[in-house]
Amino acid sequence: MEDFNSWRDLLNPEFYIKMGGFWLILFIVFAETGLFVGFFLPGDSLLFVSGIYAVEIIKETIGSTGSDFLDTTILASSVALAAIIGNEVGYYFGVKAGPALYKKKDTMLFKKKYLYQAHDFFEKHGALAIIMARFLPVVRTFTPIVAGIVKMDKKEFLRDNIIGAVLWSFILIFAGHYLDKLFQEQFGINLKEKLELIIIIIVLVTTLPVIIKFVFGKKEDLSKFEDKDFE
């Protein structure tokens, strides 16, 4: 097991992979939307780096299948399932208790501005937001809650939830696995030795749209949420 040395470890996907492996990866993916506290944990970078370690992760968990493709598929499928369940929990939380969140005071783990941001994103993109939000840190944490608050059709939400989770997990995990192989075979570069740079690039690419929205987007009128009837 990896030792916790500093708070920087919490932002390092490799730390979670080596500390808890398969089951911790699934828990983090679930927690990001199911427990609403995972938005500060590595999401996209965790999946990409997990792809690089896919064979080792599956071998340590259930034993290798002998096929890189099957091992990677098992990992991606498991992550997709955890993501789907997390979103469903977020959706039902939105249905039952979501409206109260608009009156909840900010805490260290909960910021209302993220909820407003997710609401804007959902209203602008509609049902497609469930799929698109998977690729946007912070937004993906709160979009399922907003979908529940606005009473999005359960079947439509489940459909878009499945599509988004499968695309997100398979694209990032397979990209990590096969780009690592490509760079080793073609350029002699081991991506495991370049993880810090890879993580920085992924974080910049995935968070840039959120930063632009936060900095240049219009401020939300909070009063309209306080008066709105969600029943």
Side-chain angles (χ1 to χ4, degrees), residues 99-113:
L101 291 178
Y102 285 113
K103 298 179 181 179
K104 179 179 172 64
K105 293 183 178 180
D106 284 352
T107 65
M108 184 176 70
L109 296 178
F110 174 80
K111 305 293 183 183
K112 279 193 289 187
K113 64 183 180 182

Side-chain angles (χ1 to χ4, degrees), residues 106-169:
D106 284 352
T107 65
M108 184 176 70
L109 296 178
F110 174 80
K111 305 293 183 183
K112 279 193 289 187
K113 64 183 180 182
Y114 299 145
L115 193 60
Y116 305 138
Q117 187 177 55
H119 184 278
D120 284 349
F121 187 78
F122 185 85
E123 285 210 328
K124 181 177 180 180
H125 299 288
L128 186 61
I130 306 301
I131 299 173
M132 296 170 62
R134 271 294 170 198
F135 297 87
L136 296 173
V138 179
V139 173
R140 65 171 163 258
T141 300
F142 294 96
T143 297
I145 304 175
V146 172
I149 292 173
V150 301
K151 303 294 193 300
M152 179 179 178
D153 182 79
K154 295 179 184 178
K155 292 181 180 179
E156 289 183 4
F157 177 82
L158 178 60
R159 177 200 63 203
D160 297 334
N161 180 18
I162 292 173
I163 294 172
V166 170
L167 288 175
W168 182 59
S169 60

